[in-house]
Amino acid sequence: MLSLQSERISYEYKAVDLRKEKQYTAEFDKLNPMHLVPVLVDGDFVVSDSYAILLAASIISSSIQPLQMLTVLAKFPTLRRIHESYKTLPEYEASSPNVNPMP
């Protein structure tokens, strides 16, 4: 189990050892009776569809792609101006991949 906290986002990562069939425990059965991994839990809200989870991750990743490749901003002055304006917002800076690295 891994718990991480940034200024704005906290989450808990729990590995499921498929070799030891941990997806068949009573605890996991409550999250996903189909015993499939991954499962995303946010309070009482549970997403056990791996396609939906991957789609959400893809949307998030694609929306920050220009910020991962800052050289692209040089070619698009409007994007550069938006990026520079957003950098003045604490929430924008707190959402930076540098602040919230992936586990």
Side-chain angles (χ1 to χ4, degrees), residues 78-90:
T78 302
L79 279 179
R80 186 178 61 246
R81 285 194 309 274
I82 292 169
H83 174 65
E84 292 302 322
S85 295
Y86 281 172
K87 281 175 50 176
T88 64
L89 302 171

Side-chain angles (χ1 to χ4, degrees), residues 3 17 23 32 52 56-57 63-64 81 96:
S3 292
D17 192 338
Q23 74 273 26
N32 187 349
S63 69
I64 65 169
R81 285 194 309 274
S96 166

Side-chain angles (χ1 to χ4, degrees), residues 23 28-39 46 48-49:
Q23 74 273 26
F28 196 86
D29 190 57
K30 291 176 188 174
L31 299 175
N32 187 349
M34 300 278 300
H35 309 285
L36 300 175
V37 177
V39 175
V46 178
S48 57
D49 180 342

Side-chain angles (χ1 to χ4, degrees), residues 25-89:
T25 64
E27 177 186 7
F28 196 86
D29 190 57
K30 291 176 188 174
L31 299 175
N32 187 349
M34 300 278 300
H35 309 285
L36 300 175
V37 177
V39 175
L40 178 65
V41 180
D42 185 6
D44 292 335
F45 186 73
V46 178
V47 178
S48 57
D49 180 342
S50 60
Y51 180 73
I53 295 168
L54 293 172
L55 180 61
S58 175
I59 291 168
I60 292 167
S61 176
S62 67
S63 69
I64 65 169
Q65 184 64 24
L67 302 181
Q68 293 173 340
M69 299 179 359
L70 293 177
T71 56
V72 171
L73 294 178
K75 297 177 184 178
F76 300 99
T78 302
L79 279 179
R80 186 178 61 246
R81 285 194 309 274
I82 292 169
H83 174 65
E84 292 302 322
S85 295
Y86 281 172
K87 281 175 50 176
T88 64
L89 302 171

